[in-house]
Amino acid sequence: MAENPNIDIKHIAKLARIRISDDELPKYSEEMTNIIRMVEAMPEIDDELLVDESGVMDLREDKLSDNKLSRDEILKNAPKVVAGCVVVPKTVE
């Protein structure tokens, strides 16, 4: 178990596109350390089936919706649209 893992909170915040002030760094560092400790303390899971096979799930029947929207109606709330497609920020470099 890691006693004091070296966690780069600023880097994580940059990846998540959130602003964290220098005053908040100790708080988030402690929270992240607690999360890591909790995950490390979780027991290992064997390859055995953990689902009760006798419990049948009642699934809902799929139904087609009659509420058909046009492409223009769907895209009108998108922040940026080019050639009928929603433009999103690049996530992988």
Side-chain angles (χ1 to χ4, degrees):
M1 182 182 295
E3 283 303 314
N4 189 7
N6 187 12
I7 303 168
D8 189 350
I9 299 297
K10 285 281 195 183
H11 181 67
I12 294 170
K14 181 180 176 184
L15 292 174
R17 295 181 179 225
I18 56 175
R19 287 190 195 112
I20 295 179
S21 69
D22 289 338
D23 296 339
E24 296 174 304
L25 286 176
K27 171 188 162 194
Y28 288 112
S29 181
E30 180 182 350
E31 288 180 3
M32 188 63 79
T33 300
N34 290 339
I35 291 169
I36 291 171
R37 286 185 180 142
M38 179 190 67
V39 171
E40 287 177 341
M42 292 176 73
E44 292 294 323
I45 297 176
D46 296 332
D47 289 338
E48 66 185 62
L49 185 61
L50 299 176
V51 178
D52 181 10
E53 293 179 13
S54 64
V56 179
M57 294 184 351
D58 293 326
L59 302 177
R60 66 169 172 78
E61 182 180 335
D62 288 335
K63 296 178 183 175
L64 294 176
S65 173
D66 291 333
N67 298 334
K68 297 189 181 184
L69 300 173
S70 69
R71 169 172 268 190
D72 292 334
E73 289 175 305
I74 294 171
L75 296 177
K76 73 179 177 183
N77 291 321
K80 186 173 182 183
V81 177
V82 174
C85 298
V86 177
V87 178
V88 296
K90 183 177 179 181
T91 57
V92 178
E93 294 187 32

